[in-house]
Amino acid sequence: MNRLLLIVIGVVMWLVGCKPGTPSEYIQPDDMEDILVDYHMARAMANQEDGSYEERNYHQALYIEAVMAKHGVTQAEFDSSLVYYYRRSDRFVKMYERIAERLEEKALVLGATEGEIGKFASLSTSGDTANIWAERAAYVMTPIPPYNRWTFEVEVDTAFHSGDSFLMQFLSDYMYQDGTRTALLYLALTYDNDTIISKNLYFSSVGLTQMRIPEYENHKVKRLQGYFYVGGGNERTTTTRLLFLRNIQLIRFHNKQHEDVKKDSIESDSLGRQHRVDSLGSGSSGRGSERVVSVNRGTPQH
């Protein structure tokens, strides 16, 4: 029996020892993680610089060059290693989960307490103005399924009141070697009269993106859900396409009306339900649209 146990232990140790690692020509995982943390910090600091778009790009190039020099790697080594990890999505996403945690700890350096994001950085989950976002504050996405879609639902409790309005905002950072940046934020709010307000916001820029949902008459939200989506998954590519979201916030305001709901039209579908389609415009970055659906419960008309 002891002999058999020793044989089993030996086989297990052999299998562990033979487990393939990262080839030596690529930056090793721990080192790559350190570089990516500094890389995102450098891009964030460059985006806070004053000046024209060209000047910020120039500063960003200088900051990234300094990051490469700090870690003793070339841009070519970094790019090839990035592609290597990107092609191993499971491993890459886990790496970025750790990167996100480290960047959250360095939020002050990244500017989380500055500008529009910083206005609500210290909010709790309760009060007249509250940050009700309970999901991860940072997330990485690629056009490759299943990492191209992130679905979420916010818990609705007794702290939600009639007439609440909402602001969702986040900072985005793209690492695209080619292709078109196509990202979408979708939010759907179901109210206590069974009206559903849904809003799409397309965004493609680096930096702050905001989506505002004004109060809807005097009704209370009973369900709040949505998703982020990155397109382009059907395009064949061997290059890196990455969207990194951070400092995600969903702010709830009691009795605060940021926009007026303008009733544009009313139409009925084949079931006799009324659809009220409103257009409230987009957030501060990108383009968007909104749809308001009022469901009248009763006998369907055929």
Side-chain angles (χ1 to χ4, degrees), residues 27 68-69 72-79:
I27 301 171
M68 300 300 143
V73 300
T74 65
Q75 186 69 52
E77 290 171 333
F78 173 75
D79 290 341

Side-chain angles (χ1 to χ4, degrees), residues 119-183:
K119 289 181 180 179
F120 310 108
S122 61
L123 286 179
S124 66
T125 57
S126 60
D128 288 342
T129 303
N131 182 11
I132 58 175
W133 184 256
E135 300 276 349
R136 297 177 56 94
Y139 204 77
V140 62
M141 302 182 68
T142 78
I144 303 173
Y147 305 109
N148 61 337
R149 184 183 177 103
W150 177 28
T151 302
F152 57 85
E153 181 164 357
V154 177
E155 182 180 358
V156 175
D157 54 25
T158 56
F160 283 66
H161 297 167
S162 296
D164 284 346
S165 59
F166 303 89
L167 167 66
M168 188 162 191
Q169 60 180 5
F170 53 90
L171 299 172
S172 59
D173 191 8
Y174 286 88
M175 294 173 65
Y176 267 53
Q177 292 180 317
D178 64 13
T180 303
R181 301 173 181 177
T182 305

